[in-house]
Amino acid sequence: MEVGGPQDALDNRSDDNDFDKNDNSDPVVYQLVRVEGDGTLIPATEDEVLQFETFLHDEKVDDDLPSIDDVTHVEEYFTNDCIVKKPEFEEGPSKLDTADVQTQKLDAGLEEDRLCTLNDSIVLPSNCSAVHDQQLDKLNTEQGANIIAQQDNASTETTKSTVLNDLSSDKEKADACSKPVNEASAGQSVSGVTSSVPDFSILKGEVCLDDLTMRELQEAFRATFGRQTTVKDKLWLKRRIAMGLINSCDVPSSGCVVRDYKVIAMGAKQEIPVVEAIPKMELEANLVRDQVMNPGHERDLPSSLSYHSEEQQRSSKRLKRVPTDNDEPQVTIFAEQGTTKRIRKPTKRYIEELSDIDTHESTGRLSSPGKRHVYDEVLLRPRIAPLHEVDSLSTAYPTREYTLGGCSVHVPYVSRMRRGRPRSNFIPFLDPEPSVECTEAPAADVVNLEKEGERKNHKNTGKKGVHVETSGEKDVQGLQDKDFCNSDDNPKTKRDGKRKHHRAWTLCEVVKLVDGVARYGAGKWSEIRRLAFSSYSYRTSVDLKDKWRNLIRASQTQLSTENDGVCPRKSNPSAIPIPVSILLRVKKLAEMQSQAGDVRVPIKFSGQSTTVVQGKVSGFL
DNA sequence: ATTAGGG
DNA sequence: CCCTAAT
């Protein structure tokens, strides 16, 4: 529990994941609370508690550099049996490829011993594409099938998983010894491909705070904001520091550009022409909110410090535009290169939220995005501290009082605790459909023996009675169970306001998507959908687009995060980790596409002997 | 109808 | 995923 004054509390809230840890082992049971702007205390919701716990975990991991153990559990498996192979034209190594290789070499140098020791190697698709060795591919494919089978079992039977994993690892270790060699000799002198974690941040010429120790970070924090901090979350500290620096112009104003909250050294690598203009106010708004303005205090930490905030910040951004004295963009913008993003004027919804914000402002937090739409929409506003309301049944429920247009309402916390139902099984990891289906050309009609579970709406829907518990047969059906949805199944007639049943993306789908993008280009969603997703009636072009966007984010965050052993968000167990190899492809495609601005379209990565490592840290579907 | 973006 | 603006 943390009651370190409103300031800190607010900080923590807005950035979640950063509660201070109370290392005192007092047996007393503490309750996690949040301090609102007006000083009231509000018991944490389940979500928050979870986050807190998560934080504690992360912290542990954070204290030491990733141990060998982290790498030891790496598991390799193939995914290319889901990838369509076509003898299409190959692309010579692009700039990107070269760049990657270089970085990887760099990285390889650092991790060489580790990797060697483990015989752990990854073969990047792109490198293989240079020289398409069918033999090799076939071989890999076969192995892939094998491994996948094991993988499958592994995820199915939790009990045996350990054993199975070990087996597959061992098997791989053995293979890995020879395989890489082949690849290397066959491909073009790309020997450095053995790094599992290409350091893309270096690639972009960014310098990070990553090297600093916890102590140094805290010190830097103090120097920057003029106050002590007990936060031990490196990620958080780095973010703070970086932002502080950015805001106070403590960054070499000449050679740098602020992009997406990152400080990018202009000198290096200009392969990413797209620079998002970020209203400076946003940054300021953040800081103002944090009450940590102290412009004159920054010391010069390595001016090259930078920090990736990606996602986290996105949430709080663009919410308000505070008229500041110096409103002029201090950001270098280049909208040239035709890479200009389509700008759109604020949505109605957006506007509403804006006015909404004002209402919220006093609470000090701009609504934790994503979890209270309902509340926001109605202009509800958390107000009072916790209190216990005794209902007729003399049962005490913790409630929260909201003021709704004058009337105050007590809402039981429960309403907020509804988290996604714990997935009953993880099987959907692999695509249900036979690998045959995966081969692009939809094998005739793989009868959609799928039927929508439609077992969602537990509430607010008159859908009672028909609520046959499908879980039973589900378990039995095992693999088959995952994707059922009758193609005709249009669960909701849109107008019902019903939400489309959430379908987790399967690995196979992702692969198809990536492939599709590679082939037809990002943006050709309808095409990709027609040609590659004809069998998935429920994936709309918009879905594809969204997914792609997420993949890109993942590929950016993920890969960079992976280095500093800081697990971003505790992987929610129900999420499927995306193999790094795929993320790499995504990243490449993404860069490629933004770099060559639409001019280039079809690019094919063929013959990918996608040897993948499913490390502990990877993307999520 | 599609796409791009913001939520 | 949803929603809306832009094409």
Side-chain angles (χ1 to χ4, degrees), chain A residues 73-91:
Chain A
H73 290 320
V74 188
E75 225 177 277
E76 296 185 29
Y77 67 91
F78 302 80
T79 54
N80 54 333
D81 64 336
C82 279
I83 299 174
V84 189
K85 292 198 185 83
K86 278 188 182 175
E88 294 186 2
F89 55 91
E90 311 285 355
E91 268 262 326

Side-chain angles (χ1 to χ4, degrees), chain A residues 252-454:
Chain A
S253 52
S254 49
C256 293
V257 172
V258 177
R259 176 202 174 211
D260 245 305
Y261 298 96
K262 295 180 192 173
V263 183
I264 301 179
M266 286 303 286
K269 271 293 183 193
Q270 293 200 330
E271 61 177 298
I272 301 184
V274 209
V275 174
E276 251 186 47
I278 298 171
K280 179 188 168 199
M281 303 72 68
E282 286 174 17
L283 293 177
E284 296 194 335
N286 267 324
L287 291 175
V288 171
R289 193 176 66 223
D290 295 339
Q291 302 275 310
V292 283
M293 294 302 274
N294 210 328
H297 274 211
E298 309 76 355
R299 192 146 310 147
D300 35 38
L301 289 167
S303 54
S304 39
L305 301 176
S306 105
Y307 162 72
H308 319 250
S309 55
E310 329 276 72
E311 303 282 281
Q312 290 94 326
Q313 247 84 55
R314 307 179 74 92
S315 47
S316 59
K317 71 178 184 182
R318 284 161 198 144
L319 283 182
K320 65 177 179 181
R321 182 191 169 78
V322 183
T324 318
D325 19 15
N326 56 346
D327 216 330
E328 61 257 304
Q330 99 177 50
V331 205
T332 311
I333 308 170
F334 11 160
E336 11 140 345
Q337 306 273 358
T339 324
T340 50
K341 267 189 176 176
R342 189 206 259 170
I343 41 84
R344 70 202 282 280
K345 66 184 185 185
T347 289
K348 283 179 185 174
R349 184 168 154 197
Y350 172 81
I351 295 176
E352 286 172 17
E353 281 182 28
L354 275 184
S355 50
D356 210 70
I357 296 307
D358 292 335
T359 319
H360 283 285
E361 213 141 35
S362 58
T363 67
R365 45 193 283 251
L366 306 186
S367 79
S368 20
K371 309 206 166 166
R372 351 175 349 197
H373 291 183
V374 195
Y375 305 82
D376 288 338
E377 281 169 14
V378 203
L379 289 177
L380 279 177
R381 167 184 174 194
R383 252 276 181 203
I384 306 295
L387 58 121
H388 293 270
E389 195 178 50
V390 183
D391 68 4
S392 51
L393 298 179
S394 72
T395 315
Y397 293 112
T399 62
R400 179 175 300 179
E401 185 179 347
Y402 287 91
T403 33
L404 172 55
C407 307
S408 60
V409 186
H410 289 268
V411 183
Y413 285 116
V414 207
S415 59
R416 278 197 171 196
M417 312 214 311
R418 228 194 62 65
R419 274 300 226 178
R421 63 304 171 194
R423 190 170 307 209
S424 48
N425 67 34
F426 285 36
I427 302 189
F429 273 42
L430 303 175
D431 230 84
E433 42 190 335
S435 48
V436 201
E437 230 291 72
C438 286
T439 50
E440 181 64 27
D445 70 333
V446 179
V447 183
N448 293 313
L449 65 177
E450 8 178 36
K451 51 197 171 198
E452 178 54 66
E454 192 55 289

Side-chain angles (χ1 to χ4, degrees), chain A residues 498-531:
Chain A
K498 288 284 184 283
R499 199 188 177 77
K500 193 170 138 191
H501 180 224
H502 177 63
R503 305 190 114 87
W505 277 70
T506 63
L507 220 180
C508 186
E509 284 177 294
V510 172
V511 172
K512 281 185 175 177
L513 174 58
V514 175
D515 250 20
V517 172
R519 216 171 323 215
Y520 313 111
K524 302 290 187 275
W525 308 121
S526 63
E527 278 208 12
I528 298 179
R529 193 183 88 92
R530 283 205 331 270
L531 305 174

Side-chain angles (χ1 to χ4, degrees), chain A residues 237-255:
Chain A
L237 287 170
K238 283 185 284 186
R239 183 191 318 165
R240 270 302 139 77
I241 296 171
M243 285 185 56
L245 293 176
I246 291 174
N247 181 63
S248 53
C249 308
D250 194 29
V251 206
S253 52
S254 49

Side-chain angles (χ1 to χ4, degrees), chain A residues 190-244:
Chain A
V190 263
S191 51
V193 258
T194 41
S195 166
S196 60
V197 192
D199 186 349
F200 290 97
S201 59
I202 292 180
L203 179 75
K204 289 179 184 170
E206 299 170 25
V207 194
C208 305
L209 292 169
D210 297 345
D211 299 321
L212 302 184
T213 66
M214 180 65 69
R215 183 175 298 291
E216 292 173 315
L217 282 174
Q218 293 188 331
E219 182 57 23
F221 181 97
R222 196 173 61 72
T224 305
F225 298 110
R227 64 175 172 126
Q228 268 291 6
T229 181
T230 52
V231 177
K232 289 173 188 157
D233 182 6
K234 278 189 178 179
L235 184 62
W236 186 84
L237 287 170
K238 283 185 284 186
R239 183 191 318 165
R240 270 302 139 77
I241 296 171
M243 285 185 56

